[in-house]
C-alpha cells in the first residue's frame, strides 16, 4: 500500500484525481493490517510530512500519520520511540544541507497519540532536555515559536527544577536576538505573532512557578544593561515585561535602583532601551514599568542619569504619538518625562519644532484617540509654558497650534507640576534612608519641626493657605521697613516655590518668638498667633504703608479709600470690630465701647444651658454645601434645590425679631414671644434671613461652632461679685452685658477655649467635647440704621429689615487641630484649603452674579492635611470626623474667609488686583535668585548624598539628630494624631528578598 500511495503522490495526475485515489488509500489504512505494512506506511508519511516539497504532499503525510495514530496505536507507539525522536532532534531529517524545518511540528503531531503509552514519560524526559538545548542554540523566531507552541500544548515537556529557570533565562536571551528582517505588513504581523507565542510561554511558566519571575527579570536586565553588545537587544523584549505581575513592580524597582553593583552607565543603557520599548505595538503596562523605573531613579537622586536619558530619548518618544497603536503608552511616558524635568527648559525646547506638525497631524486624523491625545498634549504644553515662561518667540508657533484646545486652570497646572517633579516622588526608601525623604505628592511643602514647634508650623501653614493674605505678603516691595513681614514673605515664597520636601522655619521662628516662651517646650498655638499678628500690625504702623495701589484705584470712592488706607494689612485681613454694651438694670442707662479684634475666643457654655443667644440678635447659622453666591430674593431661597438645609430638631424654634432700639437687651422678666406658624410663613416671604431661622443645634453630647458664637453673643448678667459700677447711679448695680459684631473681618479667626485651669491639679486641663464645624457660617453684623435702609432699598443679600443686622457669609478654610490632653504637651496639625472668590471679575456690580462653573460647590475645593514635614490630600469629611476617630484630637483654631458681597466687592477686587493677578510675577529679584540657588543646591545635595549610600546604612541605627525631624515629630505626647509609627508613620522593616 505504501508503494501505491507514493506512486499516486508522485504522479502527474491532476490534484482532484490524486485526492480521490489518496482517499481510498487512507480508508483502506483504517482496516487491520500487519505490523510491517504499518511501519512502511508510517515511514512514507513521515517522509512526505518532513521533506515534501509542496504543501499538498505535507498535508497527505499528516492525514496518514493521524489515521495510523488513531487506528494502529500499538504500531504507532513502537514507531514513535525515544531513539527515533532523539535522532530527529539532534541530527535532523533529510539530506545534508536541506534538513527539514518541520521536525518540531512533526513531534507535536505525534505526541497526541502516545500520551497514554508506557513510553510517554521517557519521551517527555527527552523533550525537556532537548528543548532546553534547542533554546540555547538561539533558534530563529519561527523555530522558537514552534517550541513554544509544542510546550504550550504539552506542558509535560517543559523543563523542571533548575533546568526550568535556565530555560526561562535562555528563552529571554532568544527574544533579545529576534529581528524582523522584512518590512512588509504580512511579515511584520507574522513576526509579532511569533513573539507573542514565545512570551506567552513565559507567562504560562511564571503562573505555575512564580519563583522563576525574578531570576528571569534579572536576566532581562542583564541583557538591556549590557554595554558590550555589538547590536542593540530587540524591542521584542517588551513583550516579556507585560506579563510580570504589577504587584511586584515596587519591589523590583526598589531593588534595581539600590543595587550598588549596577553602574550608572549600565543603568543609563537599561532605561534608554526600555524607553525604546514604547514603539512595541502589543505591549501592555510597558509605560507603567518605564515610569516606575524613572521614579525609582528620582527617589534615589540619580539625576545625572535622568537628565541624560530624558534629553536623548524625549524626541523619539514624542514621535511615537503619530501612531495610534502605541500612542497611549508613549503619551504617558512623555507626560512624566516633561513634568519631572523641571530644573531646566531644555527638554521641552527640544520638542518645540515638532509640536505644530504633530498637532496638525492629529487634527487631520480626527479620531477619538487623536482628540484625547490633543487635549492631554495641550494641557502638558500649558504646564511647560507656566513653568518656563519668558520665551515668547519660541512659544508663538506652538501657542498658535494649540490655541483652539482647552486651557487648564492654574490650580490644575500647579497640581501637575507639584506632583511630578523629581523632588516630589513618593520614596519607598524613606523608612530606610531618612535623608531621601521626598516631597509630598500634593505639591505642597512641609515645615521641619525644630523641637516642639508644631504649634508654629500649623499657624504658618494656615496663614499660607489664606490665599489673599499670602498674595499680599508675597507682593511686598523691597525696603518696606518691616523686618518680620519680610521674613514671612521669604518663608511664604519658599513654601510656594522650593523643590525641597520641607523647609526649616528657623529664621522666622527666632524673629517671631514670644519672649516668654520656653525653648523646646510645647506652646499654645493661639497665643502664638495673637502675638504674631500683633507684632506684624505694630510693625507696619511704624513703617511704610504697603497697599499704595489701592489709592490709585479709580473704582474706589474717597470714603472707602480713607476707610481702607488707614488700615494695616493685618487689620484688612483679620481685623473686625465689636461693640460691647452694658446696661444698668436699675436706671436702664447703657454704656457702650467699640473695640477691634483679630480673633474671637469662644468659651464653652455650661452643659445644661440651651444656647439661643439674644432674642434681638439673629442667630449664627451653619448651612450646608451650596452655590457660593446666595440667591437674590427670599422666594429663591425657599425654593432653591441647591441649598440643602439640616432639618430642624423638635426642640428648635425660630428666634423672634426684635427692633434695633432694644440694643440687644430684654426687659427684666420679659419673655420672648415665639413666632406662630402663620406669622412665620409671612415673615419668611418678606425676610431673606428668616429662611435660615432654624438654629443649628448639635446633639446633647456635643456642641457646634454656631452654639459657641451664640453663647459668646448672648447677654451676660453681672451680679454679686461681678456687679457693674454705674456712673449714673454712682454705685455698684446689677447689669447686663452684651457683645455685638459691628464689622466682620475678611478672615474670621475663631479660637475654641478648650484649656481651663484646674485648681485641684494646678494644671490647665482640656475640654475634649466634640464640636461640629460648619463648612459655611452665617454671622450677624450690626449696621447703622441708614445702612440697613440702603441695603434693603437696593435688595442686597442678608439684610434683615428692622433688625439693624445684616448677615455675612463665611467659608471654612483652615482648622488647626490639637492632639493631646494638655496645652503643655501634645501635637498640632492643620487641615487647610484655598478659598478664593467665585464671583467672576468683569461682571456688572449691580447685576446678579452667577455661580462659576469650576467651583460650584464648597465641598469640591481640595483639602490638605499639614503635619509638620508631611503634607497629604484630605477632605472635609476627615476634618469633620477627626474627633470621632481620635477623641484627643480636637479642633482648636478655625479660619473662615468672608464670602464677597456687593458691600465688600471693592476690597476683594483691590486685593485681587494687587496680589492675586500678579502673584506669580511680583517676587523681587533677590528672593527669586535665593530660591533658584537653593533649588540647585538641593538637587546637588541629594545627588551627593545618594552617592554615599553605605554611609547612610551605617548611620541608621544611631538615628542622628539632624534627620530625626524628618522621620517623626519631636512632640512628646503619646496621643494619636502625631507622626509616630503608631500614627501611620512607620514602614517595612526589611527589603523584599529579591534576587537583584
Amino acid at each position: 500500500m505504501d508503494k501505491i500511495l507514493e506512486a499516486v503522490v508522485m504522479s502527474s495526475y491532476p490534484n482532484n484525481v490524486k485526492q480521490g485515489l489518496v482517499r481510498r488509500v487512507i480508508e483502506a489504512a483504517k482496516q487491520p493490517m500487519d505490523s510491517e505494512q504499518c511501519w512502511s506506511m508510517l515511514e512514507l508519511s513521515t517522509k512526505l510530512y518532513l521533506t515534501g516539497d509542496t504543501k499538498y504532499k505535507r498535508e497527505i503525510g499528516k492525514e496518514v500519520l493521524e489515521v495510523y495514530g488513531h487506528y494502529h496505536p500499538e504500531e504507532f507507539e513502537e514507531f514513535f520511540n525515544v531513539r527515533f525522536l532523539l535522532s530527529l532532534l539532534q541530527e535532523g531529517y533529510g539530506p545534508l544541507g536541506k534538513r527539514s524545518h518541520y521536525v518540531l511540528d512533526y513531534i507535536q503531531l505525534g505526541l497526541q497519540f502516545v500520551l497514554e503509552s508506557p513510553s510517554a514519560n521517557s519521551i517527555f524526559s527527552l523533550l525537556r532536555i532537548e528543548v532546553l538545548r534547542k533554546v540555547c542554540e538561539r533558534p530563529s523566531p519561527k523555530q522558537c515559536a514552534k517550541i513554544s507552541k509544542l510546550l504550550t500544548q504539552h506542558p509535560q515537556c517543559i523543563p523542571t527544577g533548575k533546568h526550568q529557570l535556565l530555560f526561562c533565562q535562555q528563552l529571554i536571551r532568544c527574544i533579545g536576538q529576534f529581528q524582523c528582517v522584512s518590512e512588509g505588513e504580512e511579515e511584520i504581523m507574522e513576526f509579532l505573532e511569533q513573539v507573542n507565542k514565545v512570551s506567552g510561554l513565559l507567562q504560562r511558566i511564571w503562573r505555575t512557578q512564580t519563583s522563576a519571575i525574578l531570576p528571569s527579570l534579572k536576566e532581562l536586565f542583564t541583557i538591556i544593561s549590557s554595554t558590550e553588545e555589538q547590536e542593540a537587544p530587540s524591542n521584542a523584549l517588551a513583550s516579556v515585561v507585560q506579563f510580570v505581575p504589577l504587584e511586584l513592580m515596587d519591589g523590583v524597582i526598589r531593588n534595581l535602583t539600590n543595587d550598588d553593583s549596577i553602574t550608572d552607565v549600565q543603568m543609563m543603557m537599561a532605561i534608554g532601551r526600555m524607553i525604546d520599548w514604547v514603539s512595541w505595538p502589543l505591549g501592555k503596562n510597558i509605560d507603567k514599568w518605564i515610569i516606575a523605573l524613572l521614579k525609582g531613579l528620582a527617589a534615589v537622586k540619580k539625576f545625572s542619569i535622568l537628565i541624560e536619558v530624558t534629553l536623548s530619548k524625549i524626541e523619539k518618544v514624542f514621535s511615537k504619538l503619530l501612531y495610534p497603536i502605541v500612542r497611549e503608552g508613549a503619551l504617558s511616558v512623555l507626560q512624566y518625562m516633561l513634568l519631572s524635568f523641571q530644573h531646566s527648559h531644555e527638554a521641552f525646547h527640544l520638542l518645540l519644532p515638532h509640536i505644530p506638525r504633530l498637532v496638525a497631524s492629529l487634527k487631520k486624523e480626527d479620531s477619538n484617540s487623536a482628540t484625547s491625545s490633543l487635549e492631554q498634549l495641550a494641557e502638558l504644553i500649558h504646564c511647560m509654558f507656566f513653568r518656563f515662561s519668558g520665551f515668547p518667540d519660541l512659544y508663538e508657533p506652538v501657542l498658535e497650534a494649540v490655541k483652539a484646545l482647552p486651557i487648564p486652570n492654574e490650580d490644575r497646572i500647579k497640581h501637575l507640576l507639584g506632583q511630578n517633579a523629581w523632588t516630589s516622588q513618593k520614596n519607598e526608601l524613606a523608612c530606610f534612608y531618612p535623608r531621601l525623604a521626598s516631597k509630598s505628592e500634593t505639591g505642597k511643602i512641609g515645615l521641619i519641626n525644630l523641637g516642639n514647634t508644631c504649634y508654629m508650623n500649623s499657624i504658618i501653614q494656615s496663614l499660607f493657605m489664606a490665599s489673599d493674605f499670602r498674595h499680599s505678603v508675597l507682593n511686598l516691595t523691597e525696603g518696606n521697613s518691616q523686618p518680620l513681614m519680610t521674613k514671612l514673605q521669604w518663608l511664604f515664597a519658599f513654601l510656594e516655590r522650593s523643590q525641597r520636601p520641607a523647609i526649616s522655619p528657623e529664621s522666622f521662628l527666632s524673629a517671631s518668638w514670644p519672649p516668654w516662651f520656653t525653648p523646646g517646650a510645647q506652646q499654645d498655638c493661639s497665643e502664638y498667633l495673637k502675638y504674631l499678628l500683633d507684632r506684624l500690625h505694630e510693625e507696619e504702623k511704624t513703617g511704610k504703608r504697603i497697599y499704595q495701589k489701592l489709592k490709585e484705584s479709580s473704582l474706589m470712592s474717597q470714603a472707602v479709600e480713607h476707610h481702607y488706607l488707614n488700615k494695616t494689612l493685618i487689620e484688612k485681613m483679620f481685623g473686625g470690630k465689636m461693640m460691647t454694651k452694658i446696661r444698668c438694670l436699675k436706671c436702664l442707662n447703657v454704656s457702650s465701647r467699640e473695640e477691634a479684634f483679630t480673633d474671637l475666643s469662644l468659651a464653652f457654655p455650661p452643659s445644661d444651658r440651651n444656647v439661643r443667644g439674644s432674642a434681638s440678635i439673629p442667630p449664627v447659622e451653619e448651612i450646608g454645601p451650596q452655590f457660593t453666591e446666595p440667591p437674590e430674593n427670599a422666594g429663591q431661597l425657599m425654593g432653591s434645590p441647591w441649598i440643602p438645609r439640616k432639618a430642624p430638631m423638635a426642640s428648635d424654634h425660630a428666634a423672634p425679631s426684635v427692633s434695633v432700639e432694644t440694643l440687644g437687651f430684654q426687659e427684666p422678666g420679659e419673655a420672648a414671644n415665639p413666632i406662630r406658624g402663620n406669622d412665620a410663613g409671612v415673615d419668611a416671604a418678606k425676610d431673606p434671613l428668616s429662611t435660615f431661622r432654624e438654629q443649628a443645634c448639635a446633639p446633647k453630647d456635643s456642641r457646634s461652632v454656631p452654639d459657641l458664637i451664640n453663647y459668646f453673643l448672648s447677654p451676660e448678667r453681672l451680679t454679686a461679685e461681678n456687679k457693674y459700677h454705674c456712673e449714673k447711679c454712682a454705685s455698684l448695680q446689677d447689669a447686663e452685658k452684651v457683645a455685638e459684631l459691628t464689622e466682620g473681618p475678611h478672615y474670621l479667626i475663631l479660637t475654641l477655649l478648650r484649656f481651663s485651669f484646674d485648681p485641684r491639679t494646678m494644671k490647665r486641663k482640656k475640654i475634649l467635647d466634640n464640636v461640629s464645624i460648619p463648612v459655611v457660617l452665617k454671622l450677624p453684623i450690626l449696621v447703622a440704621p441708614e445702612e440697613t435702609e440702603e441695603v434693603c432699598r437696593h435688595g442686597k443679600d442678608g439684610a434683615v429689615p428692622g433688625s439693624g443686622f445684616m448677615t455675612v457669609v463665611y467659608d471654612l478654610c483652615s482648622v488647626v487641630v490639637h492632639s493631646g490632653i494638655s496645652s503643655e504637651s501634645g501635637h498640632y496639625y492643620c487641615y487647610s484649603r484655598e478659598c478664593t472668590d467665585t464671583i467672576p471679575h468683569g461682571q456688572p456690580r449691580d447685576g446678579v452674579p452667577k455661580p462659576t462653573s469650576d467651583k460650584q460647590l464648597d465641598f469640591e475645593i481640595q483639602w490638605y492635611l499639614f503635619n509638620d514635614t508631611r503634607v497629604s490630600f484630605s477632605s472635609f469629611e476627615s476634618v469633620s470626623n477627626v474627633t470621632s476617630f481620635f477623641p484627643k484630637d480636637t479642633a482648636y483654631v478655625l479660619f473662615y474667609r468672608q464670602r464677597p458681597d456687593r458691600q465688600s466687592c471693592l476690597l476683594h477686587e483691590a486685593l485681587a488686583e494687587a496680589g492675586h493677578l500678579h502673584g506669580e510675577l511680583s517676587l523681587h529679584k533677590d528672593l527669586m535668585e535665593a530660591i533658584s540657588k537653593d533649588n540647585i543646591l538641593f538637587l546637588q545635595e541629594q545627588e551627593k548624598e545618594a552617592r554615599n549610600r553605605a554611609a547612610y546604612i551605617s548611620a541608621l541605627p544611631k538615628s542622628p539628630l539632624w534627620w530625626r525631624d524628618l522621620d517623626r515629630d519631636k512632640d512628646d505626647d503619646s496621643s494619636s494624631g502625631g507622626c509616630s509609627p503608631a500614627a501611620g508613620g512607620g514602614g517595612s522593616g526589611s527589603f523584599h528578598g529579591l534576587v537583584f
Side-chain angles (χ1 to χ4, degrees), residues 490-506:
W490 279 64
L491 183 57
F492 278 5
F494 272 82
L495 281 175
E496 185 156 281
R497 302 202 177 192
S498 177
Q499 290 195 26
R500 294 183 182 271
I503 59 175
S504 170
E506 185 174 2

Side-chain angles (χ1 to χ4, degrees), residues 967-981:
D967 191 42
R968 66 171 186 267
D969 293 309
K970 293 182 179 179
D971 302 343
D972 55 3
D973 188 41
S974 60
S975 62
S976 62
C979 297
S980 64

Side-chain angles (χ1 to χ4, degrees), residues 290-302:
I290 295 171
I291 293 170
L293 184 52
L294 291 171
K295 286 185 175 182
L297 291 171
V300 295
K301 317 304 175 188
K302 297 279 189 178

Side-chain angles (χ1 to χ4, degrees), residues 50 193 221 242 359 699 712 891 960:
L50 291 174
E193 187 178 350
F221 187 81
Q242 67 178 326
V359 170
F712 177 84

Side-chain angles (χ1 to χ4, degrees), residues 627-638:
F627 273 87
T628 55
E629 180 64 13
E632 182 68 25
N633 54 60
Q636 286 177 307
L637 276 171
M638 296 193 68

